[in-house]
Amino acid sequence: MQDKELYQTILGLSTPWQVENVELDVIQGEIRVSVEHPRSVKFGCPECACSLPCFDHGEERRWRHLNSCQFKTIRCTPGWVLLGPSIVLLGPSIHACRPILFLLDF
């Protein structure tokens, strides 16, 4: 098992989230795990569940995780994801999915 697969399992990440990079900083005593999603992934609209493309991200956020041996483990992810817009036909009516801001806090 490689470092990315190891931290994917340790953090309990599921699709579409995946570990992109694992960086060991011996001087700081940290392991930084970068978590991202593939560019082509689409997220569901919370109002109608239609698939919306992601087209922007916020500044990176850092969360402290349980230590890995003597090193602090820091999870780094985008702070938010901006989705949409799109227009979806729902039966006899039209629902316009406006741009949606998802705060990522997992």
Side-chain angles (χ1 to χ4, degrees), residues 76-102:
C76 308
T77 62
W80 48 264
V81 174
L82 186 60
L83 307 177
S86 70
I87 297 177
V88 179
L89 181 63
L90 291 176
S93 63
I94 294 178
H95 167 73
C97 289
R98 61 190 181 285
I100 299 168
L101 181 68
F102 279 111

Side-chain angles (χ1 to χ4, degrees), residues 3-90:
D3 55 355
K4 291 180 185 180
E5 296 165 336
L6 175 66
Y7 279 95
Q8 182 88 18
T9 302
I10 289 173
L11 296 175
L13 300 176
S14 59
T15 304
W17 299 102
Q18 59 192 23
V19 173
E20 285 295 315
N21 189 35
V22 177
E23 181 182 338
L24 173 63
D25 186 338
V26 177
I27 295 171
Q28 293 289 325
E30 290 183 348
I31 297 173
R32 287 184 288 278
V33 182
S34 298
V35 177
E36 297 184 10
H37 61 80
R39 289 195 175 274
S40 61
V41 74
K42 293 188 177 186
F43 292 90
C45 170
E47 294 178 15
C48 69
C50 68
S51 294
L52 299 171
C54 171
F55 65 89
D56 200 1
H57 288 94
E59 291 182 29
E60 179 181 85
R61 291 182 68 185
R62 296 166 49 102
W63 284 273
R64 174 77 187 267
H65 200 270
L66 296 174
N67 286 357
S68 298
C69 298
Q70 73 270 28
F71 296 99
K72 293 183 284 186
T73 302
I74 308 295
R75 182 176 59 198
C76 308
T77 62
W80 48 264
V81 174
L82 186 60
L83 307 177
S86 70
I87 297 177
V88 179
L89 181 63
L90 291 176

